Amino acid sequence: MNESIFAEERKRMIVSEVNKRYKITVPQLCELFTVSPATIRNDLRDLESLGFLKRTHGGAIKNNEQTNFELNSIEKEISNVKEKAAIANTAVRFIREGDTIVLDTGTTVYELSKRLKNFKNLNVVTNDLQIALYLEKETLVNVILMGGTIRKGFHCAVGARTLASLEGLHVDKAFIAANGVSTTHGITTPNIEMSKVKELFVQMANEVYLLADSSKMGRTSFVRFAELKNIDMLITDGGISQDFLQELEDMDVDVTISSEQ
């Protein structure tokens, strides 16, 4: 395996471990990846500079402070890969032939788009260029791509023209992504322009499915675009904590936990 590819995969896994455990030590990471302390410290330094975690004396902790921090699309592609695939496998079960659906931008929703190959009668509305291109090339579904200003590094359309192109549209189901899911602050994203598009996606759907891996649970980003009561189902992975799951259930949020098999 190419050394640089292995290093990126190791960093992705380090972030995943920190998010799950909240706190982890250098010796634990050395044992987990069979590398030297110097290598782990370099990895932690790189990941801290990107905002993925916070270094501590002897290790690292989860970064919960940067409400406006957002990975770009390339960085998201190496984050929580198995969890996103499992969520997509679960989400596709709620799509039926003849549906008109919205696919939000994001890597988890992109994973869902890759599972639409068997559909022959499906309309898909999206503002994500990567999703639209994949569907056009690899599937038989009908794609309605929203216009607007392309958001650099995120291959999606936002802005006034995007919002205008969504006016008057109504769909059966919307599959939405988020950066933060909180029982006190609702469903959030770091970017104001994206929040406006997501808000319309939620409003225009009969049923709203929120696709968010467990690293998003309990986190709050910059802008709220929906309340938990606005969604019909949250689909997440088995990494969600029992305490947070109980909080959601106390709020009557319908939660489906995907299997990673």
Side-chain angles (χ1 to χ4, degrees), residues 114-131:
K114 293 193 290 186
R115 286 148 177 84
L116 301 181
K117 288 186 175 182
N118 293 329
F119 288 89
K120 298 178 176 62
N121 180 23
L122 193 68
N123 295 310
V124 178
V125 177
T126 188
N127 66 326
D128 188 292
L129 303 180
Q130 186 178 21
I131 288 175

Side-chain angles (χ1 to χ4, degrees), residues 46 69 182:
D46 292 342
F69 178 75
S182 166

Side-chain angles (χ1 to χ4, degrees), residues 49-64:
S49 70
L50 290 169
F52 293 157
L53 49 76
K54 293 179 70 174
R55 283 188 299 163
T56 63
H57 181 69
I61 62 173
K62 185 176 178 179
N63 185 2
N64 286 323

